[in-house]
Every structure is written in structure tokens, then in C-alpha cells.
Amino acid sequence: MADKNSIDVRVANHILNRMGEIGQPPEYGIQLINVGNEEYLDVLRREYLHRLLTEARGSAFKLVQGYFGGGKTHFLHCVRDLAWNENFLTAMVSLSRQECPFDDPHLVYKAVAGALTMPPADVMGMAVRGLPDVLRCWADSHLENMSDEAFNTWYKGTALRIPVRNHNFRRAAAEFLRAYRQNDVQGESILEAWLHGDSVSQADLKRYGVYGIIERSNAFQSLCSMAQLFKGYGFPGVVLMFDEVDRNLSLISGKKLRTWVDNLRQVVDMCGGSELPGVLFLYAVPPEFMRNVVPEYPALDQRLQCPLSMSLRSPQAALIDLENLSLEPGELLKAIGLKLLDVAQVAWDWECNRELQERNAAVLAECMSRFIFESGHRRQFVKVWISFLQTQRLGEESSLTADEAARLITNDRSGASDPEGELAPAVGYNGSEDAFDEDFRDF
């Protein structure tokens, strides 16, 4: 059981509300309910955030693999917390066909510029979000007390000399900071739009010495420049996280897929060189991507294929396989349940029968691990478990039987008794343990 004094009651309530309602990772306090992926996080923290990105000024690319509902988004939230603890900037982007396809570098840049986030100052504080606001916040803490003479020296000697690929980007950022300092509202607005990747007239840009806009042809170059710029401004680096939220995103075909894959190959190559100093780039996909897409493109296949996934023994491997965790499915769900029990006791100021509720967590976890869903078993488990704990808190605490656990799961899944047949017992599935193992991966 966690030390109650180590859990902020505001964070505890946030976790239960977020996970109990939609089963999504909480924005705050994710480390309080995280289990199973600690080895991966430890490698990223020690080998990358501490050593490669800061000491060697290098960069790294990692492909995060997991089924939908299998913990990819949760893992990215954990990485974001690690990065914030080390004062890294972060950007978490959801990839989808309509809003942000990876075959359109301009939309990718705009998404990153909008999602760029500074570490929050308080445990439940609002994080500064968006490239222009990050620059403003940085200016408030680094430039505000400068004399005009000192600022001009910094502007000419540092801001305009940071080595970047896109000189227009460097100039636009420096001019934006100057406009912000001088309360030039019009100039600040024009350059903010430019930094966001919006279209700005050349006439408006000319007086700031900025020529051209961010567009498809130079978007990745501008993304590189963003990372290089913030390294020059004193940040340890940037963690960029891309999460495929469209179930069929990796199954696109034709020219669009070729462009998508080629863009990803370029990113892998940039991370292998010195163009992205202090950047950790994570790209989360379902296993079908490595099985069905990557082998069709030898250039990408050669870069990503590795006999082992990333671990303490192979930290350089490009693949982080979330289907290969340190706990078996039933053990993993039980551990999550116990973590949530800790949080619930703090949020509700609940002195429960701890031994009884631990047994209940084990029963529900065991029952869940004996059923096959098409996806999302962890998300389903936390929603059912939090709801069950609420009933235990408001009524008389009691032992959960296996039959009751099965009814809780099926009723929450379908609202009745599983009329669609999505839920099927895994024990003896198809009469074959091998068949069970194969289908269990669809969790």
C-alpha cells in the first residue's frame, strides 16, 4: 500500500474521475497507478533523458508497439511525466487521417507547435502549452529583468546566432520575443501566427526580416529548427510523442502510405544524426505496423528491425514492445487494482477493509484475464473496478465472487448480457492453449 501522505487528494480525485469515466490515463499523477512498464521507463530515463540527450547532445527514435487499448497512450503519458521531471519540453500529438496525417509534414508541424508544453510548476498546475506561449513564459523568467542594452546584446549575440536549419525560424522567434518585450501587439500577433504555421502575408513579415512561411516543403526543417532553438535557449531537450489513434491508420495504402513511411524514415535518420539535439522521438503504433507495413519498405525495415525489443540488456533497440511486460495479464490487472485502491482511499478518505478489497481486486483481475475482448481490457478493468469500489464504499463491504465479477464485466461491456458475443471465456478457447495465447494478444 502506498503512503497516504505521498498522494495529493486533488490528484487522487482527478485520477478516479478521469479513469472511472472514460478509462483514459490521467493528466496528473500517472506514476501513482502505473505498473508493468517500469523497465522501459527506467531505460529511457537513464540511457536517454540523462545521458544521450543531455550529456552527448544526441537524439533517439523509439517505436512503441501495442494493441489499441493496450497501454500505448498510458505509456506516453508516463514518458511525458519523466520528461517533465527533467525539465524537458514535450509535445504529444494524436495522429489521424483527417486532422493530422503523418504524410503531411505541415500538419505535423502545426500539431507539434500547438501541443508543445512546458513542465507544470505545480502538481495540479496548468502547463504552459503552445509554442508562442512557451516562448513568452521563457521570456518572463529569462529576459524580463534585462536592461535594454543587455537584451540587445543577447538578441544579436545569441538569439540570432543559434545554429538552426531554418534561419527564418530563428529570426521569427527572436523577433517575436522582441515584440513581446516591447509590447508590440501587432508584431507579436503576426509572428505568433507564423510560428504556429499559419499563412502570413509577405508584406507583414518583411519589416521583421522574415521571408517565406512554414509550409509542407520546409515543415520538417522547421521542426528541427524548433528543437535546435530551444536547446540554444537552455532547455535540456524536447520529447516528441506521436500516437496513432485511428484504428486503420497503419493500413492506408498507395502513394499516401509511401509518403507516410518515407517521412518516418527521414525522422529516424535525423534522430541518428545531429540534426535534432536533445530530442527523444516516440511513435506509437499497433503491431500490424511492424508485421504488415514495415517489411514492405526495406529502407525502414533495416532501420527498425532488431532481434530484441528495448530492455536493460538492449537499451539501443528501436522497439518498445508493450505486449511484452514484466507481469502476466492477471497479475498486471491486480497490481493496477491495488494502486487504484490506494488512490481511492485518499480521494474518499476511506478506511476500508484493506485485506477484503485486495482479495476482491484479485478476483476481478482473474475474471478479466479469463475473458477475450477485441481490445481495451485494461481500460475496461479500471472502469469496472472504480465503479465497484464506489459501491463498496457507499454500502456494506463484501466479498466479490467469480460469478459476480463476470456479471460486472459483461454488464459494463454491453449494458446487458453481452448480446453481441464480444465477450467469450478464454479457458479452453477453441480447445487449444496455443489458440488462447494467440487470441489473448488481441487484448
Side-chain angles (χ1 to χ4, degrees):
M1 177 179 177
D3 180 6
K4 288 185 179 181
N5 295 326
S6 68
I7 303 177
D8 187 293
V9 66
R10 297 171 299 167
V11 175
N13 277 292
H14 165 73
I15 291 172
L16 295 184
N17 290 337
R18 172 84 170 177
M19 301 188 74
E21 288 175 0
I22 56 177
Q24 290 290 326
E27 287 291 316
Y28 307 97
I30 196 166
Q31 71 281 356
L32 296 173
I33 47 89
N34 183 58
V35 292
N37 58 26
E38 293 89 346
E39 181 175 334
Y40 292 136
L41 294 173
D42 189 46
V43 171
L44 290 177
R45 178 178 54 82
R46 291 195 295 111
E47 297 294 329
Y48 293 93
L49 296 181
H50 283 181
R51 187 182 62 80
L52 177 65
L53 303 187
T54 52
E55 295 176 11
R57 296 177 62 84
S59 56
F61 175 91
K62 299 296 177 185
L63 193 75
V64 180
Q65 173 178 283
Y67 283 98
F68 287 100
K72 296 192 302 298
T73 304
H74 174 97
F75 180 76
L76 295 181
H77 276 75
C78 290
V79 175
R80 186 186 66 177
D81 266 21
L82 281 184
W84 281 351
N85 289 338
E86 304 297 334
N87 204 36
F88 278 71
L89 296 172
T90 65
M92 187 176 297
V93 174
S94 296
L95 296 173
S96 64
R97 288 191 185 189
Q98 299 301 321
E99 296 183 10
C100 185
F102 204 72
D103 61 294
D104 189 332
H106 185 216
L107 290 181
V108 170
Y109 170 84
K110 287 173 68 72
V112 171
L116 192 71
T117 306
M118 291 184 74
D122 182 67
V123 65
M124 285 287 286
M126 289 292 294
V128 176
R129 182 184 175 93
L131 172 57
D133 281 341
V134 169
L135 286 171
R136 290 187 183 98
C137 187
W138 181 87
D140 289 342
S141 59
H142 288 79
L143 306 179
E144 188 174 28
N145 296 324
M146 279 187 179
S147 65
D148 289 343
E149 182 180 356
F151 175 81
N152 287 331
T153 299
W154 173 84
Y155 174 84
K156 295 177 181 178
T158 301
L160 294 181
R161 294 188 178 183
I162 296 171
V164 298
R165 288 190 63 185
N166 186 334
H167 294 176
N168 275 324
F169 191 96
R170 177 179 61 195
R171 182 85 184 196
E175 289 291 339
F176 174 82
L177 290 171
R178 182 157 69 173
Y180 177 61
R181 176 183 171 86
Q182 296 176 350
N183 200 28
D184 176 4
V185 177
Q186 182 182 19
E188 187 181 339
S189 177
I190 291 170
L191 293 164
E192 178 171 6
W194 191 96
L195 290 167
H196 264 308
D198 298 333
S199 181
V200 182
S201 73
Q202 191 59 55
D204 288 334
L205 293 171
K206 187 175 180 180
R207 69 187 180 101
Y208 300 103
V210 178
Y211 302 94
I213 59 174
I214 297 174
E215 52 192 353
R216 189 167 184 146
S217 62
N218 64 11
F220 276 157
Q221 185 185 81
S222 300
L223 197 59
C224 287
S225 299
M226 184 192 301
Q228 292 163 340
L229 190 78
F230 280 112
K231 195 72 173 178
Y233 284 177
F235 284 91
V238 182
V239 177
L240 301 176
M241 294 162 283
F242 292 84
D243 188 10
E244 286 195 4
V245 295
D246 187 333
R247 282 177 178 266
N248 298 315
L249 202 58
S250 293
L251 303 180
I252 59 176
S253 59
K255 183 179 179 180
K256 184 179 287 287
L257 178 58
R258 287 193 297 273
T259 303
W260 193 291
V261 170
D262 188 58
N263 288 341
L264 189 60
R265 180 194 56 77
Q266 289 183 53
V267 168
V268 175
D269 288 345
M270 286 190 295
C271 289
S274 59
E275 296 181 83
L276 292 171
V279 171
L280 176 59
F281 193 110
L282 291 95
Y283 190 97
V285 295
E288 291 83 4
F289 184 78
M290 283 295 288
R291 286 203 305 261
N292 303 332
V293 177
V294 173
E296 298 297 319
Y297 297 87
L300 185 62
D301 189 40
Q302 292 165 10
R303 289 161 171 78
L304 296 182
Q305 287 293 354
C306 182
L308 298 172
S309 61
M310 192 186 78
S311 67
L312 293 173
R313 290 176 291 182
S314 55
Q316 289 78 30
L319 178 65
I320 298 175
D321 187 2
L322 296 182
E323 299 305 307
N324 182 24
L325 299 179
S326 58
L327 295 174
E328 293 298 318
E331 295 174 341
L332 178 67
L333 294 178
K334 179 183 176 183
I336 294 172
L338 297 182
K339 294 262 189 176
L340 285 170
L341 179 58
D342 294 337
V343 170
Q345 288 191 262
V346 172
W348 302 331
D349 192 22
W350 181 30
E351 292 295 335
C352 68
N353 182 333
R354 180 77 190 191
E355 184 177 347
L356 172 64
Q357 298 306 336
E358 287 182 357
R359 290 200 301 270
N360 287 341
V363 170
L364 186 62
E366 174 64 18
C367 184
M368 182 69 77
S369 69
R370 289 178 175 273
F371 283 81
I372 296 299
F373 293 143
E374 59 178 357
S375 64
H377 72 298
R378 298 174 201 170
R379 184 177 301 146
Q380 194 73 12
F381 173 82
V382 299
K383 290 171 64 179
V384 172
W385 176 236
I386 291 172
S387 177
F388 172 78
L389 289 179
Q390 278 277 22
T391 63
Q392 293 282 291
R393 177 177 73 99
L394 298 175
E396 183 177 349
E397 293 185 69
S398 60
S399 296
L400 180 68
T401 68
D403 288 344
E404 290 169 341
R407 284 195 294 272
L408 285 175
I409 295 168
T410 55
N411 288 342
D412 189 78
R413 181 71 172 180
S414 64
S417 57
D418 187 32
E420 302 299 325
E422 284 185 322
L423 195 60
V427 176
Y429 187 72
N430 287 344
S432 165
E433 184 175 333
D434 290 340
F436 163 72
D437 289 340
E438 178 66 26
D439 284 286
F440 190 83
R441 287 197 289 272
D442 285 342
F443 269 37

